[in-house]
Amino acid sequence: QVQLVESGGGLVQAGDSLRLSCTVSGRIRSLFRMGWFRQAPGKSREFVADIRWSGGITTYADFVKGRFTISRDNVQNTANLQMNSLKPEDTAVYYCAARLVYTSEYEYWGQGTQVTVSS
């Protein structure tokens, strides 16, 4: 089992920055990738970014490239999402997720943290 707890959401204005953090516990040695997803009201959940736990290789959705940066801290056991130049369309609940080795999908999810960007 893996437990995930997100923090760092809030209300900001367009152009501002926020940093989300996800604290991981449990089967950390079995982690393959950590990801961030988001779900806006009335829309389906979408991929934002993820990072390989060992090695740090990252992937991003096109709509966040150049604005968001995902990172991980193997000592603090956190996965972080630095969000710059926020736009109103970034408003959503952001979820942290964990994918274990030898699996093909994200199986573990946090409770989500609200990010609201006002224009």
Side-chain angles (χ1 to χ4, degrees):
Q1 293 289 334
V2 173
Q3 294 78 42
L4 307 171
V5 178
E6 301 104 332
S7 61
L11 171 63
V12 297
Q13 293 186 334
D16 286 350
S17 298
L18 270 178
R19 182 179 175 85
L20 305 183
S21 185
C22 176
T23 301
V24 187
S25 60
R27 295 176 58 189
I28 294 174
R29 291 188 176 184
S30 296
L31 284 176
F32 178 50
R33 300 189 77 90
M34 291 292 300
W36 285 95
F37 295 75
R38 71 185 187 186
Q39 186 167 19
K43 295 186 177 182
S44 57
R45 186 169 59 197
E46 61 182 355
F47 170 81
V48 176
D50 70 1
I51 186 167
R52 187 165 179 166
W53 192 252
S54 176
I57 298 172
T58 59
T59 57
Y60 294 93
D62 287 343
F63 55 79
V64 301
K65 284 182 180 178
R67 299 190 300 126
F68 292 11
T69 303
I70 189 170
S71 62
R72 91 279 188 242
D73 186 324
N74 299 82
V75 175
Q76 298 291 328
N77 293 328
T78 60
N80 308 300
L81 186 68
Q82 177 67 41
M83 305 186 294
N84 299 328
S85 303
L86 283 162
K87 305 175 182 179
E89 51 264 43
D90 293 319
T91 295
V93 177
Y94 283 72
Y95 296 92
C96 174
R99 176 182 164 188
L100 303 185
V101 294
Y102 309 122
T103 65
S104 59
E105 61 185 25
Y106 284 91
E107 184 177 357
Y108 298 95
W109 297 84
Q111 81 284 359
T113 185
Q114 177 70 47
V115 172
T116 303
V117 184
S118 64
S119 58

